[in-house]
Amino acid sequence: MPRKLSAVDPLRLDNQICFAVYSAAHAFNRVYKPLLDRLGLTYPQYLVMLVLWERDDVPVKDIGEKLFLDSGTLTPLLKRLEAAHLVKRTRSSEDERQVLIALTPQGHALKEKARSVPQSILAASDCSVPELVAMKDEIVALRDRLNAVIGE
Amino acid sequence: MPRKLSAVDPLRLDNQICFAVYSAAHAFNRVYKPLLDRLGLTYPQYLVMLVLWERDDVPVKDIGEKLFLDSGTLTPLLKRLEAAHLVKRTRSSEDERQVLIALTPQGHALKEKARSVPQSILAASDCSVPELVAMKDEIVALRDRLNAVIGE
DNA sequence: TCACATTTAATTGTTCGCAATTGAATGTGC
DNA sequence: GCACATTCAATTGCGAACAATTAAATGTGA
């Protein structure tokens, strides 16, 4: 009995890892949404806050490198975080080209409210921590290989 | 010697599988971009074309269910595909609420130009096919568990 | 010093992605 | 047959995401 061609058709949606990643990212976003609504953050804003909770007073460029985002995305996003009184934007005095992003007291305080988020995500994943760590490492390795190709 | 807390801190960016997925999706998008530019498609438009190349003349709702997208995303996207003469949008005569999406001859023809895309992605992934299939299956399973939680 | 390149954010314009709403068509329970 | 709910696409508004450009600050070489 001949194998169905569709099972190996490279143009089939179900065979594409990229669509798996794309749709998983959207699924994560939908799980995060109600959790982050309580913090008044969108998911990309939450990522920026994660960066700042690790290290404060960083240039826009550093945030961009960690999150793989450029100023076209970050500038308006950071302005919204500033409008929400979570960060302050100031030109660096050493290098006037740089804009340094610092947390406000409210920005610092929000970290406490965010502590419950990861475990909610873990529960929704319905997966053991070692399994998730293994998957994460594989996906990061794939991402880094893809990014290496982009730099040519 | 005590383990660094950061290695297990759930709020650390590097520990979050969701960020791995999010950033991998963007990396894929950047790899796809030059390939899809030659087809005159964006990545979401390419996904819609993949669906239509599998089965033609389908309602918007069916496309949305396969891609996990709603009409707010698909309606303008499909109008752009129609403006590019790749699809035709017609009201179903059986159920006037539905809009059926059908490929034009140009839309059908584009499939041939798209055949080289998957192997370019495979090359950029720098990964064996069995490995990619295994990763894809894991990610799809995770996505489906997340989507199950959303439906409560 | 001075011309030139580089770095850094900001800006503009296009396309997703989704929540919320609208309006038309269809299905249902009585 | 008729009120009612449901389904489906379209619309509106907002927040990413990114390409391309701009402008200012800084670095470099002759």
Side-chain angles (χ1 to χ4, degrees), chain B residues 22 26 30 59-61 71-72 75 79 89 91 97-99:
Chain B
Y22 168 90
H26 289 321
R30 285 191 283 268
V60 173
K61 186 176 200 302
S71 69
T75 296
K79 284 182 177 177
R89 300 172 343 107
R91 288 270 161 196
R97 293 170 301 181
Q98 293 187 344
V99 169

Side-chain angles (χ1 to χ4, degrees), chain B residues 17-107:
Chain B
I17 187 171
C18 180
F19 175 63
V21 172
Y22 168 90
S23 54
H26 289 321
F28 265 119
N29 201 26
R30 285 191 283 268
V31 172
Y32 268 103
K33 179 130 203 334
L35 303 171
L36 295 181
D37 279 349
R38 289 196 288 241
L39 307 182
L41 295 174
T42 65
Y43 182 69
Q45 289 169 7
Y46 172 69
L47 290 180
V48 169
M49 295 302 287
L50 287 180
V51 170
L52 294 172
W53 287 330
E54 284 182 38
R55 192 162 66 85
D56 205 352
D57 214 42
V58 292
V60 173
K61 186 176 200 302
D62 286 20
I63 299 176
E65 280 171 3
K66 290 199 179 185
L67 302 182
F68 306 98
L69 297 172
D70 68 5
S71 69
T73 300
L74 288 174
T75 296
L77 187 156
L78 290 166
K79 284 182 177 177
R80 283 187 283 271
L81 288 181
E82 188 175 43
H85 309 295
L86 295 173
V87 307
K88 203 172 43 177
R89 300 172 343 107
T90 52
R91 288 270 161 196
S92 165
S93 52
E94 293 133 37
D95 185 340
E96 294 271 347
R97 293 170 301 181
Q98 293 187 344
V99 169
L100 298 178
I101 308 298
L103 290 168
T104 62
Q106 294 102 305

Side-chain angles (χ1 to χ4, degrees), chain A residues 13-145:
Chain A
L13 186 65
D14 291 346
N15 294 339
Q16 305 222 358
I17 187 172
C18 181
F19 175 64
V21 172
Y22 168 91
S23 54
H26 289 324
F28 266 119
N29 199 26
R30 285 190 283 269
V31 173
Y32 268 103
K33 178 128 203 333
L35 303 171
L36 296 182
D37 278 350
R38 291 196 288 240
L39 307 184
L41 295 174
T42 64
Y43 182 68
Q45 290 169 8
Y46 172 69
L47 291 179
V48 170
M49 295 301 286
L50 287 181
V51 170
L52 294 173
W53 288 330
E54 283 182 38
R55 193 162 67 85
D56 205 352
D57 213 41
V58 291
V60 173
K61 185 173 200 300
D62 287 21
I63 299 176
E65 279 171 3
K66 289 200 180 185
L67 301 182
F68 307 98
L69 298 173
D70 67 6
S71 69
T73 300
L74 288 175
T75 296
L77 187 156
L78 291 167
K79 285 183 176 177
R80 282 187 282 271
L81 288 181
E82 189 176 43
H85 309 294
L86 295 173
V87 306
K88 203 171 44 180
R89 303 161 62 247
T90 52
R91 287 270 161 198
S92 166
S93 52
E94 294 134 36
D95 187 339
E96 294 272 347
R97 292 170 302 184
Q98 292 187 345
V99 168
L100 299 177
I101 308 298
L103 289 169
T104 62
Q106 293 101 306
H108 276 291
L110 197 64
K111 184 172 185 179
E112 298 314 311
K113 287 187 71 176
R115 287 200 191 283
S116 64
V117 171
Q119 71 191 44
S120 299
I121 298 299
L122 178 62
S125 305
D126 190 23
C127 197
S128 76
V129 170
E131 279 177 309
L132 282 178
V133 169
M135 274 186 76
K136 184 208 68 182
D137 289 344
E138 281 184 79
I139 296 166
V140 164
L142 174 60
R143 177 198 72 197
D144 291 345
R145 289 197 299 275

